[in-house]
Amino acid sequence: MDSRELKDRYVNPYTDFGFKKLFGTEMNKDLLISFINSLLSGKEVVKDLTYLNTEHLGTSEADRKAVFDVYCENENGEKILVEMQRGEQQFFKDRSLYYATFPIREQGQKGEWNYRLKAVYVIGILNFTFDEQSNDYYHHEVKLIDTRTKEVFYDKLTFIYLEMPKFNKKEEELNGMFEKWLFVLRNLSRLLERPKALQERIFTKLFEAAEVAKFTKAEYDSYEESLKVYRDWINTIETAKIKSKEEGREEGLKEGEKIGIEKGEKKKAMEMARSLKAKGVAINIIAECSGLSEEEINSL
């Protein structure tokens, strides 16, 4: 009998294992369909999905390898990439755009082709924030627009970013499936039981799939390893933040000391200039002795 020491009742969806367990398996495909439809607010209704290979190589060996958490297509052949990003990267927007090129380029056909493309969606679930201007704006839907008319120029390429740390609604405040899904992603591993607000049948399946006690021995071991990687990643980020603050504080003290010295020297120079000026010494000589400009000396 295996020893299970993890205290959480439900899997952490921010781990690689947890996310793929809930959204990346054929068995739980309906969970992903429900989640994606909640994001699209009825504008695009996904009825079925086919999982595609998550590892893709470019057309030459020089092309960089891209790995997606979940890569699938709906019944209309439209491509959907879903990625859980645990920590902020300097060029995460560039990375999203780079990933989007793979499902675009793979639609190319040999011989005669009119370049007609199927839509591509890139969904990023972010465990960090990138827009500091508004604490309430956490659901970003980005398309190519005409900068003058502000109208959508091309509607077949959509980037959806969810800034998860900004979503802090409580159970009793939830409104609609979109907010319910965000609540689950944000809080699942901290829950002790299924919330009363999540009574839809799809959440019954989700909580059954997420219960750690029901994992097989192999699943449990994989999850434990994935959780260790996740915790190490979080600790690395926190350590980097603390170190950055300490370095900033130290730099600030040094800068403050430097400014203080400069102010003290300037004060002494002004006192000397004021004394020389009172004795009738020529302005140009005072400037040469004090290091002050003639304008500064005249204003004394």
Side-chain angles (χ1 to χ4, degrees):
M1 189 173 189
D2 58 293
S3 174
R4 304 199 171 187
E5 299 177 356
L6 294 179
K7 297 180 180 179
D8 296 337
R9 180 175 181 182
Y10 300 111
V11 70
N12 187 333
Y14 286 92
T15 62
D16 184 65
F17 175 87
F19 189 79
K20 290 180 179 177
K21 167 76 174 175
L22 298 178
F23 297 111
T25 64
E26 191 69 30
M27 182 184 301
N28 294 325
K29 181 169 64 174
D30 48 345
L31 299 181
L32 181 61
I33 291 174
S34 175
F35 173 62
I36 292 174
N37 281 334
S38 77
L39 292 183
L40 299 175
S41 304
K43 288 179 287 188
E44 299 286 343
V45 179
V46 178
K47 297 178 181 178
D48 192 20
L49 289 174
T50 301
Y51 286 100
L52 304 175
N53 190 348
T54 56
E55 295 192 13
H56 283 257
L57 290 175
T59 54
S60 71
E61 292 183 8
D63 287 332
R64 183 180 173 185
K65 188 177 182 180
V67 181
F68 318 122
D69 287 330
V70 173
Y71 180 35
C72 54
E73 67 179 12
N74 64 13
E75 68 277 6
N76 297 319
E78 298 172 332
K79 314 294 183 179
I80 304 171
L81 310 177
V82 187
E83 184 183 22
M84 173 71 79
Q85 277 197 255
R86 299 162 188 83
E88 185 173 8
Q89 296 183 347
Q90 185 178 5
F91 301 109
F92 91 92
K93 293 179 184 178
D94 302 65
R95 180 185 178 188
S96 296
L97 187 61
Y98 175 72
Y99 275 13
T101 64
F102 286 83
I104 292 174
R105 291 169 61 191
E106 72 177 12
Q107 295 183 54
Q109 300 176 16
K110 294 181 178 180
E112 293 186 6
W113 179 45
N114 62 5
Y115 289 95
R116 185 176 184 180
L117 297 170
K118 296 288 187 179
V120 172
Y121 297 88
V122 179
I123 300 171
I125 305 169
L126 314 180
N127 195 20
F128 60 90
T129 61
F130 65 86
D131 177 14
E132 304 298 337
Q133 295 182 2
S134 173
N135 290 328
D136 298 325
Y137 185 33
Y138 49 79
H139 179 199
H140 303 263
E141 185 171 314
V142 182
K143 294 179 182 287
L144 294 175
I145 67 165
D146 185 308
T147 57
R148 187 180 70 83
T149 65
K150 307 302 180 184
E151 294 181 355
V152 175
F153 172 76
Y154 186 76
D155 64 355
K156 291 184 181 180
L157 180 60
T158 304
F159 296 89
I160 297 175
Y161 299 113
L162 305 174
E163 295 180 276
M164 296 306 296
K166 289 184 178 180
F167 184 81
N168 295 304
K169 285 195 174 184
K170 298 178 181 178
E171 180 185 346
E172 59 272 17
E173 299 173 321
L174 301 179
N175 181 26
M177 287 297 289
F178 171 65
E179 291 187 357
K180 290 181 179 181
W181 269 112
L182 291 194
F183 180 84
V184 167
L185 289 174
R186 187 85 162 87
N187 300 288
L188 183 58
S189 63
R190 296 193 291 265
L191 297 175
L192 298 177
E193 59 184 18
R194 177 182 173 183
K196 293 180 180 180
L198 306 179
Q199 291 304 310
E200 289 82 359
R201 184 180 301 175
I202 195 69
F203 292 120
T204 299
K205 181 167 184 177
L206 178 136
F207 279 96
E208 289 177 356
E211 194 162 353
V212 176
K214 294 182 179 179
F215 289 177
T216 65
K217 175 65 166 59
E219 287 177 327
Y220 180 81
D221 290 343
S222 295
Y223 175 49
E224 195 172 36
E225 181 61 28
S226 184
L227 191 59
K228 180 181 180 300
V229 172
Y230 171 74
R231 286 170 175 167
D232 288 345
W233 172 259
I234 294 298
N235 288 334
T236 298
I237 293 175
E238 291 302 318
T239 300
K241 287 181 179 178
I242 292 172
K243 187 175 181 180
S244 177
K245 286 182 180 178
E246 289 176 348
E247 290 176 349
R249 189 182 300 114
E250 185 177 340
E251 187 65 29
L253 289 173
K254 288 180 180 178
E255 185 65 24
E257 184 179 352
K258 180 182 176 183
I259 292 172
I261 292 172
E262 290 176 351
K263 284 184 176 179
E265 291 177 347
K266 185 74 174 281
K267 185 177 180 181
K268 288 181 180 179
M270 292 177 72
E271 289 175 353
M272 179 183 70
R274 191 178 287 109
S275 176
L276 293 174
K277 185 179 180 182
K279 294 177 180 179
V281 178
I283 298 298
N284 63 323
I285 295 176
I286 297 175
E288 187 177 342
C289 294
S290 66
L292 300 176
S293 68
E294 292 189 7
E295 290 181 357
E296 288 176 310
I297 296 168
N298 286 325
S299 66
L300 294 175

